[in-house]
Structure formats: C-alpha cells, structure tokens
Amino acid sequence: AALGVSGLRMDNAGEEASFLVMLPYDIDPRSEIGVTVHWTTKSSEADDTLTRKVSYNALKANAVVTAVGSASALDTTIEADNVVAQYGWHKTSRGVINADTLSILSDDPEQVGLQFFVELDGVSGITIASEYGILIGVELDYYPAMTDNTLARHAKRVNVA
C-alpha cells in the first residue's frame, strides 16, 4: 500500500509465482530477449539482498499450461539485488533468453506466450516474515523483426478497400 501499486507478497525463500506474458507480434526470435524483475520490499536496510530465480516455458495459445519442473532457466541469470529504499521501486539486473532459443516463434508469433516462474530464491539480512519481498512484475526487452518476410506475415492485418 505504501508504494501505491499492486504486487504479490512473497514471505519465504522458495515461494514462486507463475504467470503468462503474450509476446509482441514483431519480436525477432533470432535476437536475445531481456528479462528484468520489478519488485519492492518492506525492508529499509541497504545491505539486505533478495535473489530472484526466473524460468520460463514457451506456449502456444490454447495449449496446456505446464508445471515448473519442465521450465527452462534463463541463459543469463539475474543477480542478487540490494534494497534501495523501503517500498522503493526496485529493478533487477537483466537476465537473458539467448537468441534462436524460441523456435516456437517461427510458427505464428501472434499465438505464442511465455509462462514465467519467478521464485524468491534467497534472502540475506532480511527478516522475510516481517520485511517480505513483493513481486511487482516482469519486463521484457527485445529487438523487433524488421524484414520483408515479417511485414508479409502481418499483411493480413491491413484492410484494403
């Protein structure tokens, strides 16, 4: 409440949240995808740290959502993050899904999403029961596909009278 945004309170190391993010239609599967976690905490100690472990599954629309056991780890993991301020907006280091990893995108990128699993992997200095971490969300950064093939694939979006 003090931050003014909604989030998921995580009270124990090992707790995990799972959610689905639809991928943008113009994402280039030949380029890496960056993953950053946004979070906050009740802790106000600058030497306190939280570590988030992120894994993912690529899914097609209308498919079965899977369990964490079959998820892929990020190719570049997210480092431990220090507390900046109590209820401050924190942003982790950038994790990476390597280029050419999501072959599922070549089928129809408009029908593909990533199911993310974000785990509170570890804490240092934080009394987690009273200074809990709060997961705000996950940010993706990517390179847009800007080739003739991509434009042709999305030509169906244009209505010509």
Side-chain angles (χ1 to χ4, degrees):
L3 181 62
V5 297
S6 297
L8 180 63
R9 179 175 165 162
M10 300 178 100
D11 290 337
N12 299 298
E15 282 189 339
E16 186 172 65
S18 173
F19 52 92
L20 182 67
V21 175
M22 297 307 299
L23 293 178
Y25 75 91
D26 64 344
I27 195 166
D28 185 351
R30 299 165 299 182
S31 299
E32 68 183 27
I33 300 170
V35 180
T36 307
V37 176
H38 296 257
W39 63 280
T40 190
T41 181
K42 188 177 177 186
S43 172
S44 60
E45 301 295 324
D47 58 347
D48 289 353
T49 61
L50 283 92
T51 306
R52 306 278 182 184
K53 182 168 71 176
V54 178
S55 53
Y56 67 94
N57 286 320
L59 300 173
K60 286 188 174 187
N62 303 313
V64 175
V65 176
T66 57
V68 68
S70 61
S72 299
L74 296 178
D75 297 297
T76 301
T77 58
I78 294 173
E79 299 170 5
D81 217 10
N82 283 45
V83 171
V84 174
Q86 185 178 43
Y87 295 120
W89 172 30
H90 297 77
K91 185 175 176 177
T92 65
S93 63
R94 183 177 184 262
V96 173
I97 300 171
N98 283 347
D100 296 315
T101 301
L102 300 177
S103 59
I104 192 171
L105 285 174
S106 61
D107 296 340
D108 185 357
E110 294 178 36
Q111 297 296 316
V112 174
L114 290 178
Q115 177 188 13
F116 280 103
F117 301 94
V118 180
E119 179 183 338
L120 180 56
D121 191 42
V123 296
S124 175
I126 292 177
T127 307
I128 199 66
S130 61
E131 298 178 320
Y132 45 84
I134 301 170
L135 172 65
I136 297 173
V138 170
E139 173 187 0
L140 300 180
D141 65 80
Y142 66 95
Y143 293 97
M146 303 298 280
T147 65
D148 290 338
N149 184 36
T150 301
L151 295 175
R153 183 174 63 211
H154 297 290
K156 64 185 176 195
R157 292 177 174 246
V158 178
N159 293 324
V160 178

